[in-house]
Amino acid sequence: MSATSSASAVSVEDAAAIRAILDRHVDARNRHDMDAFVADTTPDADWINVVGMHWKGRDNVPQAHAVMHAGLFARSRMLPPERSEMRQIAPNVVIETHVGRLEGVGLRPDGKPYPDDGNLMTMVFVKSHKGWRIAHAHNGHIDKLAAPYDPAKDRS
Amino acid sequence: MSATSSASAVSVEDAAAIRAILDRHVDARNRHDMDAFVADTTPDADWINVVGMHWKGRDNVPQAHAVMHAGLFARSRMLPPERSEMRQIAPNVVIETHVGRLEGVGLRPDGKPYPDDGNLMTMVFVKSHKGWRIAHAHNGHIDKLAAPYDPAKDRS
């Protein structure tokens, strides 16, 4: 962390609590249990998926995921999060990023395979009296054809 | 906003301040002025671009953008943000999402055109004694071939 950083380190306890949510979340996803999938989100959580669909609120997020899990993702499995990083940007607010990988995804509606390069996920966690919750998620494909051109790949 | 929402409405003053940052940001980008581009970010801001490149910190973000603006984006122009939405998820923390569109982007390294469907951007803003700052940005392409299959498109 640089000397000019404005973020605070995440405490060991908070990091463990957030990691536990990530693990529960993957488990719920792999059981296609959409109620469990959103159990750790705030009521008004936004969810933006890898193709730019923007789902708003705890009602829409599981319904939208359920449709996907009845089709494209029916036999898919998410591997444990890789390269998880956390930054506390304000009291009780942590931004977590990780790489997520899926196995067994079906063909997309256009007949093309789902990219297997992994996805880069941003999750914004907020702590309340109920503990840490996911307030916002933004997922995106990692494009392995673009990666060699990353101008910061040797620095960050 | 639903009755069960845990987020607070963004005040008129805060919304105006954040909108002013968005406008300055687009202006800096279109002048290819990378110092101005990161003037409103926190020192340790993360920036995740549309192909999953993950740039970390105020040093890396402008350098990486400068390389892209010397090539692919040299003659590009960003249009004003569309569909900006803000949610205050904690004191002094606002999540803003918007659709951004670029004109005049060059061909990608693989020779294919840059998608013109627009990008969906998440920005996380934090307020300090210096005012609002961008602490995290995650951008992603909107895939217009996928959009008709959005299971929530008639609801959210």
Side-chain angles (χ1 to χ4, degrees):
Chain A
M1 187 169 289
S2 88
T4 55
S5 170
S6 63
S8 307
V10 178
S11 74
V12 173
E13 293 77 11
D14 286 339
I18 289 170
R19 179 65 199 209
I21 290 175
L22 293 175
D23 290 342
R24 280 203 298 273
H25 193 77
V26 170
D27 178 64
R29 190 214 168 278
N30 287 342
R31 289 185 291 105
H32 310 288
D33 180 341
M34 292 303 132
D35 291 331
F37 185 78
V38 294
D40 293 306
T41 61
T42 61
D44 64 342
D46 272 21
W47 198 282
I48 297 174
N49 80 353
V50 294
V51 288
M53 295 176 185
H54 190 166
W55 301 328
K56 301 171 189 176
R58 196 187 262 178
D59 292 339
N60 282 315
V61 170
Q63 289 175 15
H65 277 92
V67 173
M68 310 293 270
H69 280 252
L72 192 65
F73 294 134
R75 280 184 285 274
S76 69
R77 178 174 170 76
M78 179 173 279
L79 302 181
E82 300 169 27
R83 298 168 52 188
S84 175
E85 297 180 15
M86 301 182 199
R87 287 183 300 140
Q88 181 160 325
I89 60 162
N92 301 320
V93 182
V94 167
I95 294 182
E96 191 273 345
T97 59
H98 64 263
V99 173
R101 295 183 193 281
L102 296 175
E103 294 178 337
V105 181
L107 293 177
R108 303 189 311 187
D110 61 6
K112 293 181 180 171
Y114 187 89
D116 66 352
D117 310 353
N119 296 324
L120 183 51
M121 169 66 95
T122 292
M123 284 184 169
V124 184
F125 285 85
V126 178
K127 191 180 187 179
S128 73
H129 63 284
K130 294 179 180 174
W132 288 96
R133 294 286 183 273
I134 302 166
H136 190 87
H138 193 142
N139 205 7
H141 287 313
I142 297 170
D143 184 342
K144 66 184 170 193
L145 294 177
Y149 301 95
D150 184 345
K153 68 178 185 295
D154 297 325
R155 288 200 307 273
S156 66
Chain B
M1 188 168 289
S2 87
T4 56
S5 170
S6 62
S8 306
V10 179
S11 75
V12 172
E13 293 77 11
D14 288 338
I18 289 170
R19 180 65 200 208
I21 290 176
L22 293 175
D23 290 342
R24 281 203 298 273
H25 193 76
V26 169
D27 179 64
R29 189 215 168 280
N30 287 341
R31 290 185 289 105
H32 310 289
D33 180 341
M34 292 304 132
D35 290 333
F37 185 79
V38 294
D40 292 306
T41 60
T42 60
D44 64 343
D46 273 20
W47 198 283
I48 296 173
N49 81 352
V50 294
V51 287
M53 295 177 184
H54 191 165
W55 301 327
K56 301 171 188 176
R58 197 188 262 178
D59 292 338
N60 282 315
V61 170
Q63 290 175 16
H65 277 92
V67 173
M68 311 292 272
H69 279 251
L72 190 66
F73 295 133
R75 279 185 285 275
S76 70
R77 178 174 171 75
M78 180 174 278
L79 303 181
E82 300 169 26
R83 297 169 54 189
S84 175
E85 298 181 13
M86 301 181 198
R87 286 184 299 141
Q88 180 160 327
I89 60 162
N92 301 319
V93 182
V94 167
I95 294 182
E96 191 273 346
T97 58
H98 63 262
V99 173
R101 294 182 194 280
L102 297 174
E103 294 178 336
V105 181
L107 293 177
R108 303 189 311 185
D110 62 6
K112 294 180 181 172
Y114 187 88
D116 66 351
D117 309 353
N119 296 326
L120 182 52
M121 169 67 95
T122 291
M123 285 185 167
V124 184
F125 285 85
V126 178
K127 191 179 188 180
S128 73
H129 62 284
K130 295 179 180 175
W132 289 96
R133 294 287 182 272
I134 302 166
H136 190 86
H138 193 142
N139 204 6
H141 288 312
I142 297 170
D143 183 342
K144 65 184 169 193
L145 293 177
Y149 301 94
D150 184 345
K153 68 177 187 296
D154 297 325
R155 286 202 309 273
S156 66

